[in-house]
Amino acid sequence: MDSNLYPERHILSIDLKSFFASCECVMRGLDPFKVPLVVANPNQGDGAITLAVTPFLKKQGVKSRGRLYEIPKNIKYHIVPPRMSSYIKYSEKVVEVYLNYVAKEDLHVYSIDECFLDVTDYLKLYKKTDYELAEEILSEITKQTGLTATCGIGPNILLAKVAMDTEAKLYKNGIAKWTYDDVQNKLWKLTPLSKMWGIGPRMELKFNKLGINTIGDLARYDKNKLKSKFGVMGLELWEHANGIDLSRISDLVNSKPMDKSYSNSQILFKDYNGDNVKIIISETVDVVCKRLRASNKQASVIGLAIGYSKSVGGGFYHVMKLDAPTDDSNVILDCCLLLFDKYYQNMPIRKVGVSTGKVTDKDSIQLNIFENFDEVEKKISKDKTIDEITSRFGKNSLLKASSLLNDSTIRDRNKKIGGHHE
């Protein structure tokens, strides 16, 4: 590809290796490369999720985020319970190391064990190449905390991240550098698709059904068809497959929360998974859309938040921008399900939240070229009728068939929640 058409930054994507397990080893004076240690809740038996395993166990084929019973019987290991407060303190120490090298606006904390640094404007100051600076930062992390890290270097956030995810672990010093020249000979060869950042197992299946099995297949696919099927997300993933990522770390750091939003969330009474949680997402979307319509509002930014069970920790929150504002629950649900399929990592779920931003007054109907005016008017009329019935006779007076399933929570929630917006 022609790199002259795209920004040439110097981005470092740094990940703390086997973070939870390594923290436990450091606190115990152990070497994570020599000790078979697993972080998991021992009270949950063989079904407990392995939150982290040491590099020593990874070399024997043991995976993080699996189940204890999946570890081969011939492998001996020691289980320790998670101590999240301690891990957070170690993460903060590492962030302090980063801030000794770059300003806050050039650092994006992606997760508890992963960060992005834009070192473009610091190379002359330190009189080092990006590779040399990465070596120094990783060395300083080990010196200050005892932890080991890997690093991907790239001209944009995407290529730095993929270099770190797929290649950095292959080298003794844990550093891999990609350029735009590596897009075709490295990025395009990736398979399965979920090896690339931003494509989860569920999104991978959707692409596989289209005959897309490698990143190269995705890069060569008709981008207009991808946008038609997956919206702006399809176009974004096509760009990523071609090594294109125009986002800047400063944009991520300085991004403001939604100024005016309508949202709804709930804590679930049991663990949900990728199949039954879609009922909850759908019901949450319906609540948010009813609030939008009651206020005569539309939204063009849709956000989905998923919180995992305490036994696992973490989760994700991502947004999607629409071409036109809407209060249509079908459109917003489609967005949420695409976000879910893209980012969900098959963990037990205990929280679901849906938010809408870039809210505007609904003073006109905006159609795209595929919509029929009469059909849209019928949909608006139907939504209005449903809203009026449920407002007059109670929220449980009209329910979807899915709301009668055991995994649904809407009937109980309707008895408790009001119609306010957050």
Side-chain angles (χ1 to χ4, degrees):
M1 63 181 294
D2 186 356
S3 60
N4 293 323
L5 298 176
Y6 304 106
E8 186 78 40
R9 308 294 295 176
H10 297 270
I11 308 297
L12 308 186
S13 173
I14 301 178
D15 177 64
L16 301 172
K17 203 166 186 178
S18 304
F19 180 53
F20 293 172
S22 292
C23 286
E24 291 293 341
C25 287
V26 170
M27 288 186 281
R28 289 171 163 77
L30 304 173
D31 185 343
F33 294 91
K34 297 180 180 179
V35 176
L37 183 142
V38 175
V39 179
N41 188 340
N43 297 325
Q44 294 181 338
D46 285 347
I49 294 175
T50 58
L51 300 180
V53 302
T54 55
F56 178 82
L57 283 175
K58 283 187 176 180
K59 279 192 174 181
Q60 299 181 57
V62 180
K63 297 180 180 179
S64 292
R65 300 297 173 110
R67 302 280 181 172
L68 287 178
Y69 64 75
E70 294 175 340
I71 300 177
K73 301 299 181 184
N74 63 314
I75 296 178
K76 304 298 180 183
Y77 56 90
H78 179 57
I79 304 175
V80 299
R83 293 185 282 180
M84 292 303 298
S85 60
S86 296
Y87 309 152
I88 291 172
K89 289 178 182 177
Y90 272 94
S91 178
E92 291 172 346
K93 288 180 182 178
V94 174
V95 169
E96 288 177 6
V97 172
Y98 298 144
L99 291 176
N100 285 331
Y101 289 90
V102 300
K104 286 185 178 180
E105 57 265 27
D106 293 314
L107 169 67
H108 176 56
V109 179
Y110 182 66
S111 67
I112 191 173
D113 59 350
E114 197 169 339
C115 289
F116 294 103
L117 289 76
D118 188 340
V119 299
T120 307
D121 299 327
Y122 301 89
L123 300 183
K124 287 184 179 180
L125 173 66
Y126 296 119
K127 297 179 181 179
K128 293 179 180 291
T129 65
D130 50 13
Y131 195 96
E132 291 169 338
L133 187 55
E135 286 183 310
E136 181 175 324
I137 293 174
L138 264 56
S139 176
E140 193 65 19
I141 290 172
T142 302
K143 180 181 176 181
Q144 295 290 335
T145 67
L147 301 172
T148 303
T150 56
C151 176
I153 306 171
N156 58 41
I157 294 174
L158 171 81
L159 292 178
K161 170 68 171 166
V162 180
M164 189 273 292
D165 284 340
T166 63
E167 192 175 313
K169 59 188 175 183
L170 303 178
Y171 302 116
K172 189 174 182 180
N173 67 356
I175 301 173
K177 179 175 179 176
W178 282 19
T179 69
Y180 286 117
D181 292 336
D182 292 308
V183 170
Q184 292 190 25
N185 58 26
K186 290 183 179 180
L187 182 64
W188 282 12
K189 293 179 180 179
L190 288 184
T191 188
L193 295 170
S194 52
K195 280 189 175 183
M196 188 178 86
W197 182 43
I199 299 182
R202 305 177 74 85
M203 183 62 74
E204 177 183 85
L205 289 176
K206 291 179 181 292
F207 281 140
N208 290 163
K209 290 177 180 178
L210 297 176
I212 301 172
N213 298 296
T214 69
I215 299 301
D217 292 339
L218 179 57
R220 291 183 289 265
Y221 205 85
D222 187 330
K223 65 180 180 180
N224 294 317
K225 290 182 179 179
L226 289 173
K227 186 176 182 182
S228 175
K229 187 170 182 64
F230 301 108
V232 291
M233 182 185 293
L235 183 58
E236 178 187 273
L237 289 174
W238 178 88
E239 290 176 342
H240 284 186
N242 281 283
I244 303 168
D245 182 3
L246 303 181
S247 60
R248 293 278 292 270
I249 286 179
S250 56
D251 296 333
L252 301 175
V253 174
N254 296 322
S255 59
K256 296 179 180 179
M258 296 177 183
D259 49 358
K260 174 71 173 177
S261 67
Y262 286 70
S263 63
N264 186 263
S265 64
Q266 63 171 306
I267 306 295
L268 304 172
F269 59 89
K270 67 177 183 179
D271 286 349
Y272 280 68
N273 57 42
D275 297 319
N276 59 1
V277 80
K278 292 190 175 183
I279 294 175
I280 306 300
I281 295 174
S282 176
E283 292 174 349
T284 307
V285 166
D286 286 341
V287 171
V288 173
C289 288
K290 184 178 179 183
R291 291 177 180 174
L292 282 170
R293 292 191 293 268
S295 301
N296 198 40
K297 301 291 185 181
Q298 297 180 114
S300 56
V301 175
I302 313 302
L304 175 69
I306 296 293
Y308 295 141
S309 169
K310 285 184 178 180
S311 63
V312 176
F316 61 85
Y317 172 72
H318 290 283
V319 300
M320 181 185 295
K321 297 179 181 178
L322 302 177
D323 292 332
T326 185
D327 62 4
D328 189 330
S329 56
N330 291 328
V331 174
I332 294 176
L333 177 60
D334 285 345
C335 292
C336 289
L337 294 182
L338 281 171
L339 287 168
F340 182 78
D341 287 341
K342 181 177 180 181
Y343 294 104
Y344 177 56
Q345 294 295 326
N346 294 326
M347 296 290 116
I349 299 167
R350 275 300 179 101
K351 183 176 181 179
V352 171
V354 173
S355 61
T356 58
K358 292 270 185 172
V359 175
T360 57
D361 291 331
K362 185 178 181 180
D363 51 11
S364 63
I365 300 174
Q366 186 169 350
L367 302 177
N368 65 43
I369 60 174
F370 301 108
E371 291 179 317
N372 178 281
F373 181 80
D374 291 335
E375 292 177 357
V376 172
E377 271 209 317
K378 288 179 182 178
K379 176 69 171 59
I380 293 173
S381 178
K382 185 186 76 172
D383 288 339
K384 185 178 180 181
T385 301
I386 291 173
D387 291 344
E388 288 176 350
I389 291 173
T390 55
S391 295
R392 184 176 179 183
F393 298 104
K395 295 184 178 70
N396 284 334
S397 57
L398 276 180
L399 293 171
K400 292 181 178 179
S402 61
S403 300
L404 303 176
L405 299 175
N406 291 334
D407 290 318
S408 171
T409 62
I410 195 64
R411 285 171 294 169
D412 290 333
R413 293 184 70 219
N414 280 344
K415 298 174 184 177
K416 301 174 184 177
I417 62 176
H420 64 284
H421 70 263
E422 299 173 351

